[in-house]
Amino acid sequence: MEIIRFRNVKQLCDAICRNSLERYVLVRLDDREITPDEYCFHRLVETASEVDATLTYCHYKERLADGSLANHPVCDYQYGSLRDDFDFGPLVLLNAADVLAASEDFTEEESALLDGGWYALRLRLSSTGIFMNIPEYLYIAERIDDRKSGEKQFDYVDPRRRDYQIEMERMLSEHLYEINALVKKEKQTCDFDGIEAEGFPREASIIIPVRNRVKTIGDAVRSALSQKCGFEYNVIVVDNGSTDGTRELLRDVRDTKLRVIELTGNEGLGIGGCWNRALQSPYCGRFAVQLDSDDIYADENTLQAVVDKFRETGAAMVIGSYIITDFGLRPMPPGLIDHREWTDDNGANNALRINGFGAPRAFYTSIARKFLFPNVSYGEDYALALRISREYVVGRIFEPLYFCRRWEGNSDASLSVEQTNANNTYKDFIRSIELYARIRANRPEINPMLGTFETDEEIEF
């Protein structure tokens, strides 16, 4: 079976038409050299035929620079697998008729997109067809990117790829419109001091979950305690059973603004659970502001800037911008991460495409208590931010407020493929739940899990 190198949708359709008797076409998504095993094509076609799959893909092995092989498993595709960097591997099998039907009204402009229209095409295919992942290693591909996970983490917001990001945002927005999942512009604001507002002991709390970060927690706490504000605030550190000296270091801090909640570490709490414990504590202020235990604020005015943005906008959540640095605070590529893709008009929609919202993240405590964080240690903030953005105004600060320090102790510095997949699978699950909820909010009379429906409502995005 011929392998078609995918360049753009028009060329793919031309190749399909030249082989009009073929039910399936094999497509190579990048320039990596591929060596299929003896039964690769047979297995892909057989599986696709059994389930009438629109797109079929599989695990593969990577050939390393020294000639050895390493397994590269890939994730199962979920309804919410909307991120544009979803890893199918370099080889996919497509149902030819489904491709022609999905691309029937593709414009030349869409074929000329920076990814050749692949993202738009596979979003259309996913709305009506089955995507089948075969958990078997059926071919070998050359490894072309040897960077560790921590070095790849910010590719999706690299400002040097802004044109690409804008194109992908437009493709996602059109897809969300087609499946009735587009969040409308009008959002709720919060009355922080109204008759229904909770009484809070102070205006704001900086919340720092920590476990075994004796090397960095002192810097984080000093950064938090040094904030200059025109209101009362405190710092709540939730120590989740540290055993490396972190707890003792915190006990030695002499500042009445610091509150340490000491857990045994046996409660089964992830970072989200620690956040919930801080939110529900009687010490928590009206606004809860994030600081990771190995990062610091950019200066002593960060907290004031965040609270001012809450008051200015009535937002349920405020998100800042940050600079990637090394441990000594020297800027590292890509430098400033300001999430310019987040706009008042379309940020809540585009958030389904990307892997994060920005930092520091801050929440109106009453709203955060209403929804709470999932009790996990990856994607917990993304889940809550998605939920809030569906209904409420989100305030944005595009100036740098935060130094995100990259060092060998980062929990995501050097993840295995398996752990990266587990993280991506969880976020795709969160996106799936949010996608179903948004469709039901727009079309309460339907159950989106039973299929998608055309919309006749004009929605701007």
PDB file of all heavy atoms in Angstrom, residues 26 129 141 143 159 184 191 243 259 279 289 300 385 419:
ATOM      1  N   LEU A  26      -3.003   5.339   3.426  1.00  0.00           N
ATOM      2  CA  LEU A  26      -1.996   5.528   4.463  1.00  0.00           C
ATOM      3  C   LEU A  26      -1.371   6.900   4.283  1.00  0.00           C
ATOM      4  O   LEU A  26      -0.953   7.263   3.174  1.00  0.00           O
ATOM      5  CB  LEU A  26      -0.914   4.454   4.370  1.00  0.00           C
ATOM      6  CG  LEU A  26      -1.120   3.179   5.164  1.00  0.00           C
ATOM      7  CD1 LEU A  26      -0.089   2.139   4.739  1.00  0.00           C
ATOM      8  CD2 LEU A  26      -1.035   3.436   6.663  1.00  0.00           C
ATOM      9  N   GLY A 129     -16.845  10.481  12.895  1.00  0.00           N
ATOM     10  CA  GLY A 129     -16.258   9.160  12.713  1.00  0.00           C
ATOM     11  C   GLY A 129     -15.536   8.637  13.934  1.00  0.00           C
ATOM     12  O   GLY A 129     -15.350   9.348  14.929  1.00  0.00           O
ATOM     13  N   ALA A 141       9.971   4.598  13.587  1.00  0.00           N
ATOM     14  CA  ALA A 141      10.202   5.934  13.034  1.00  0.00           C
ATOM     15  C   ALA A 141      11.449   6.528  13.672  1.00  0.00           C
ATOM     16  O   ALA A 141      11.753   6.244  14.845  1.00  0.00           O
ATOM     17  CB  ALA A 141       9.000   6.839  13.286  1.00  0.00           C
ATOM     18  N   ARG A 143      13.680   9.096  15.612  1.00  0.00           N
ATOM     19  CA  ARG A 143      13.433  10.167  16.581  1.00  0.00           C
ATOM     20  C   ARG A 143      14.118  11.431  16.088  1.00  0.00           C
ATOM     21  O   ARG A 143      15.315  11.430  15.785  1.00  0.00           O
ATOM     22  CB  ARG A 143      13.961   9.799  17.960  1.00  0.00           C
ATOM     23  CG  ARG A 143      13.796  10.936  18.979  1.00  0.00           C
ATOM     24  CD  ARG A 143      14.247  10.554  20.371  1.00  0.00           C
ATOM     25  NE  ARG A 143      13.315   9.606  20.979  1.00  0.00           N
ATOM     26  CZ  ARG A 143      13.456   9.137  22.227  1.00  0.00           C
ATOM     27  NH1 ARG A 143      14.502   9.496  22.962  1.00  0.00           N
ATOM     28  NH2 ARG A 143      12.583   8.280  22.702  1.00  0.00           N
ATOM     29  N   PRO A 159       5.952  32.610  21.408  1.00  0.00           N
ATOM     30  CA  PRO A 159       5.518  33.763  20.600  1.00  0.00           C
ATOM     31  C   PRO A 159       6.060  33.741  19.176  1.00  0.00           C
ATOM     32  O   PRO A 159       5.500  34.396  18.290  1.00  0.00           O
ATOM     33  CB  PRO A 159       6.068  34.966  21.387  1.00  0.00           C
ATOM     34  CG  PRO A 159       7.136  34.416  22.275  1.00  0.00           C
ATOM     35  CD  PRO A 159       6.722  33.018  22.596  1.00  0.00           C
ATOM     36  N   LYS A 184     -20.470  31.609  24.343  1.00  0.00           N
ATOM     37  CA  LYS A 184     -20.847  32.948  23.880  1.00  0.00           C
ATOM     38  C   LYS A 184     -20.086  34.014  24.667  1.00  0.00           C
ATOM     39  O   LYS A 184     -19.536  33.758  25.729  1.00  0.00           O
ATOM     40  CB  LYS A 184     -22.351  33.130  24.006  1.00  0.00           C
ATOM     41  CG  LYS A 184     -23.126  32.106  23.186  1.00  0.00           C
ATOM     42  CD  LYS A 184     -24.624  32.208  23.401  1.00  0.00           C
ATOM     43  CE  LYS A 184     -25.351  31.097  22.662  1.00  0.00           C
ATOM     44  NZ  LYS A 184     -26.808  31.119  22.869  1.00  0.00           N
ATOM     45  N   ASP A 191     -20.158  40.236  42.231  1.00  0.00           N
ATOM     46  CA  ASP A 191     -20.302  41.363  43.157  1.00  0.00           C
ATOM     47  C   ASP A 191     -19.596  40.958  44.445  1.00  0.00           C
ATOM     48  O   ASP A 191     -20.144  40.223  45.267  1.00  0.00           O
ATOM     49  CB  ASP A 191     -21.777  41.665  43.405  1.00  0.00           C
ATOM     50  CG  ASP A 191     -21.982  42.874  44.308  1.00  0.00           C
ATOM     51  OD1 ASP A 191     -20.976  43.432  44.785  1.00  0.00           O
ATOM     52  OD2 ASP A 191     -23.145  43.244  44.547  1.00  0.00           O
ATOM     53  N   THR A 243       9.077  15.590  54.251  1.00  0.00           N
ATOM     54  CA  THR A 243      10.018  14.851  55.119  1.00  0.00           C
ATOM     55  C   THR A 243      11.464  15.271  54.876  1.00  0.00           C
ATOM     56  O   THR A 243      12.383  14.660  55.425  1.00  0.00           O
ATOM     57  CB  THR A 243       9.898  13.338  54.861  1.00  0.00           C
ATOM     58  OG1 THR A 243      10.156  13.071  53.466  1.00  0.00           O
ATOM     59  CG2 THR A 243       8.518  12.831  55.236  1.00  0.00           C
ATOM     60  N   ARG A 259       0.421  31.308  57.508  1.00  0.00           N
ATOM     61  CA  ARG A 259      -0.351  30.222  58.098  1.00  0.00           C
ATOM     62  C   ARG A 259       0.067  28.921  57.421  1.00  0.00           C
ATOM     63  O   ARG A 259       0.010  28.810  56.192  1.00  0.00           O
ATOM     64  CB  ARG A 259      -1.855  30.429  57.896  1.00  0.00           C
ATOM     65  CG  ARG A 259      -2.442  31.589  58.672  1.00  0.00           C
ATOM     66  CD  ARG A 259      -2.657  31.221  60.117  1.00  0.00           C
ATOM     67  NE  ARG A 259      -3.344  32.267  60.859  1.00  0.00           N
ATOM     68  CZ  ARG A 259      -3.783  32.136  62.103  1.00  0.00           C
ATOM     69  NH1 ARG A 259      -3.601  30.974  62.729  1.00  0.00           N
ATOM     70  NH2 ARG A 259      -4.395  33.120  62.723  1.00  0.00           N
ATOM     71  N   LEU A 279      -8.643  26.621  50.560  1.00  0.00           N
ATOM     72  CA  LEU A 279      -9.844  27.390  50.239  1.00  0.00           C
ATOM     73  C   LEU A 279     -10.904  27.273  51.329  1.00  0.00           C
ATOM     74  O   LEU A 279     -11.594  28.250  51.654  1.00  0.00           O
ATOM     75  CB  LEU A 279     -10.436  26.907  48.909  1.00  0.00           C
ATOM     76  CG  LEU A 279      -9.723  27.278  47.619  1.00  0.00           C
ATOM     77  CD1 LEU A 279     -10.325  26.499  46.457  1.00  0.00           C
ATOM     78  CD2 LEU A 279      -9.824  28.782  47.348  1.00  0.00           C
ATOM     79  N   VAL A 289      -4.801  33.419  45.566  1.00  0.00           N
ATOM     80  CA  VAL A 289      -3.820  33.660  44.508  1.00  0.00           C
ATOM     81  C   VAL A 289      -2.737  32.595  44.560  1.00  0.00           C
ATOM     82  O   VAL A 289      -2.169  32.329  45.630  1.00  0.00           O
ATOM     83  CB  VAL A 289      -3.205  35.069  44.646  1.00  0.00           C
ATOM     84  CG1 VAL A 289      -2.287  35.362  43.458  1.00  0.00           C
ATOM     85  CG2 VAL A 289      -4.303  36.125  44.748  1.00  0.00           C
ATOM     86  N   GLU A 300       7.242  43.089  44.366  1.00  0.00           N
ATOM     87  CA  GLU A 300       6.397  43.200  45.551  1.00  0.00           C
ATOM     88  C   GLU A 300       5.006  43.747  45.248  1.00  0.00           C
ATOM     89  O   GLU A 300       4.178  43.885  46.157  1.00  0.00           O
ATOM     90  CB  GLU A 300       7.082  44.111  46.576  1.00  0.00           C
ATOM     91  CG  GLU A 300       7.297  45.516  46.093  1.00  0.00           C
ATOM     92  CD  GLU A 300       8.140  46.367  47.038  1.00  0.00           C
ATOM     93  OE1 GLU A 300       8.816  45.795  47.908  1.00  0.00           O
ATOM     94  OE2 GLU A 300       8.099  47.601  46.892  1.00  0.00           O
ATOM     95  N   ALA A 385     -10.164  26.239  35.919  1.00  0.00           N
ATOM     96  CA  ALA A 385     -10.181  27.416  35.050  1.00  0.00           C
ATOM     97  C   ALA A 385     -11.138  27.221  33.877  1.00  0.00           C
ATOM     98  O   ALA A 385     -11.873  28.149  33.503  1.00  0.00           O
ATOM     99  CB  ALA A 385      -8.770  27.712  34.553  1.00  0.00           C
ATOM    100  N   GLN A 419       4.346   8.811  31.129  1.00  0.00           N
ATOM    101  CA  GLN A 419       3.793   9.796  32.054  1.00  0.00           C
ATOM    102  C   GLN A 419       3.240  11.003  31.303  1.00  0.00           C
ATOM    103  O   GLN A 419       2.199  11.556  31.674  1.00  0.00           O
ATOM    104  CB  GLN A 419       4.861  10.246  33.049  1.00  0.00           C
ATOM    105  CG  GLN A 419       4.325  11.170  34.142  1.00  0.00           C
ATOM    106  CD  GLN A 419       3.205  10.551  34.940  1.00  0.00           C
ATOM    107  OE1 GLN A 419       3.376   9.493  35.537  1.00  0.00           O
ATOM    108  NE2 GLN A 419       2.035  11.181  34.960  1.00  0.00           N
TER     109      GLN A 419
END
